[in-house]
Amino acid sequence: MADIGEDIVIAKQLLDSNGLVGIPTETVYGLAGNAFNEDAVLEIFKVKQRPSFDPLIVHAAGLDQIKSFVKEIPEQAELLVKELWPGPLTVLLKKNSEIPDLVTSGLDTVAVRVPRHPLTLSLLNSLDYPLAAPSANPFGYISPTKAIHVDQQLGDSINYILDGGDCHIGVESTIISFENDIPTILRLGGQPIERLKEMLGEVKINKHSSSQPDAPGMMKSHYAPSKKLILSSQSGSLKEYLAEEIGVLVFGQIHPEIPKFNQYVLSDIGSVDEAAKNLFSAMRELDQKSHIRIIIADAIPNTGLGKAINDRLKRASAE
Ligand code: TXA
Ligand code: MG
């Protein structure tokens, strides 16, 4: 078990001595360490059991700090982040030698963002280095949206979790690249694409294969609960399950044929924002109920954060 608290001085002390700390962001909780220190970065990969080919996101206090460890910021990217940071948007930029190759898995770009959470922003402002922080879950599992989620899975490997309450957005940041001056989305996420299109015009959305992912968060089997998850559109053949064995991620009304305590309402008012906020903790909760063998996810409108939700559900349902 890790200590859980709101003390950024404790967090700073641990980070200054190259330890790791669980940190809240507006998207999901991160597992943070000094991005300039190779020992801290290696420890992140180890604690998360993350393959070394899957690069980390670097979190900074602001654009000025970022300018000290990247070679350049494309004009379009700068306009975008001046408008949307702090916020759930991660941008790939050409790194300089301040960022160890370990952080980027040898790539020449580094993924960076300024998170919009007051505690973590104060922490970042108190440090003289940025924080490398992947989502604070074991590799391949559902991202944590509460301090307790981090403790349940990584609490034995870290000393402290900074408790910033429930994450407001609930899905990971949107990742965008400006390679060859073409804005390209590598991961749908907390920054709705509609807003990006408003600011950038057309943006490309990358389709990834899991063998050569530009952003391995795009791997098909990511964000998965350990139970089988299916989309309601595929729920034709549920005959082999008893009603008690079926869990439901509900969008709208609960399903009358399934026990109520097997159902987790993401939103009963049709709000995709509310559904995003509840998504990962609902998946976790149903995953932890031992009598449930299969989870069905209701259809979610494919607009705003609904796009990121549908992306996560599709990946979680991939075999
Ligand atoms: O909202 C978020 O982004 C959260 C919070 C903690 O900030 N972080 C997060 O990190 O989701 P992680 O490590 O779980 O996902 C980061 C994704 C990975 O899929 C990784 O492959 C991709 O970003 N990535 C990182 N650096 C990259 C790079 N240089 N080029 C392409 N993809 C990169
Ligand atoms: Mg992750």
Side-chain angles (χ1 to χ4, degrees), residues 48 50 134-135 137 141 143 172 187 222-223:
K48 220 187 124 84
R50 183 180 182 112
S135 53
N137 50 283
Y141 197 66
S143 295
E172 302 85 348
R187 177 174 74 183
H222 237 74
Y223 316 106

Side-chain angles (χ1 to χ4, degrees), residues 23 25 27-31 48 50 53-57 59 90 92 103-104 107 109-111 113 115 133-137 143 171-175 186-187 214-218 222-223:
I23 58 163
T25 83
T27 58
V28 300
Y29 274 75
L31 173 65
K48 220 187 124 84
R50 183 180 182 112
F53 61 75
D54 193 1
L56 307 179
I57 294 181
H59 299 67
T90 295
L92 299 192
V103 171
T104 62
L107 297 173
T109 53
V110 58
R113 81 179 190 101
S135 53
N137 50 283
S143 295
V171 290
E172 302 85 348
S173 61
T174 301
I175 302 181
L186 301 185
R187 177 174 74 183
D214 274 356
M218 304 299 287
H222 237 74
Y223 316 106

Side-chain angles (χ1 to χ4, degrees), residues 56-77:
L56 307 179
I57 294 181
V58 171
H59 299 67
L63 198 51
D64 287 342
Q65 185 182 36
I66 288 168
K67 284 181 175 166
S68 74
F69 60 78
V70 302
K71 285 190 176 145
E72 61 193 8
I73 303 185
E75 202 182 313
Q76 262 189 317

Side-chain angles (χ1 to χ4, degrees), residues 198-267:
E198 252 170 54
M199 295 187 63
L200 298 168
E202 233 6 76
V203 296
K204 218 173 110 188
I205 301 183
N206 236 12
K207 291 267 181 282
H208 290 260
S209 77
S210 52
S211 55
Q212 267 307 340
D214 274 356
M218 304 299 287
M219 282 190 276
K220 257 182 113 187
S221 67
H222 237 74
Y223 316 106
S226 47
K227 306 268 167 72
K228 189 177 164 73
L229 185 144
I230 59 171
L231 306 177
S232 58
S233 56
Q234 315 164 326
S235 68
S237 58
L238 285 169
K239 284 188 210 78
E240 58 177 293
Y241 298 95
L242 302 169
E244 298 82 61
E245 296 174 333
I246 302 172
V248 191
L249 294 168
V250 179
F251 190 77
Q253 300 304 311
I254 61 167
H255 298 212
E257 71 283 10
I258 311 270
K260 216 172 161 185
F261 57 85
N262 279 13
Q263 307 195 48
Y264 196 115
V265 180
L266 299 178
S267 173

Side-chain angles (χ1 to χ4, degrees), residues 254-300:
I254 61 167
H255 298 212
E257 71 283 10
I258 311 270
K260 216 172 161 185
F261 57 85
N262 279 13
Q263 307 195 48
Y264 196 115
V265 180
L266 299 178
S267 173
D268 58 6
I269 53 165
S271 157
V272 288
D273 290 354
E274 186 183 28
K277 187 168 188 248
N278 290 323
L279 178 69
F280 287 151
S281 87
M283 277 165 74
R284 258 173 204 266
E285 225 163 275
L286 294 180
D287 204 29
Q288 282 164 9
K289 286 190 201 281
S290 54
H291 62 276
I292 290 180
R293 287 172 56 211
I294 188 165
I295 301 168
I296 313 175
D298 275 352
I300 307 275

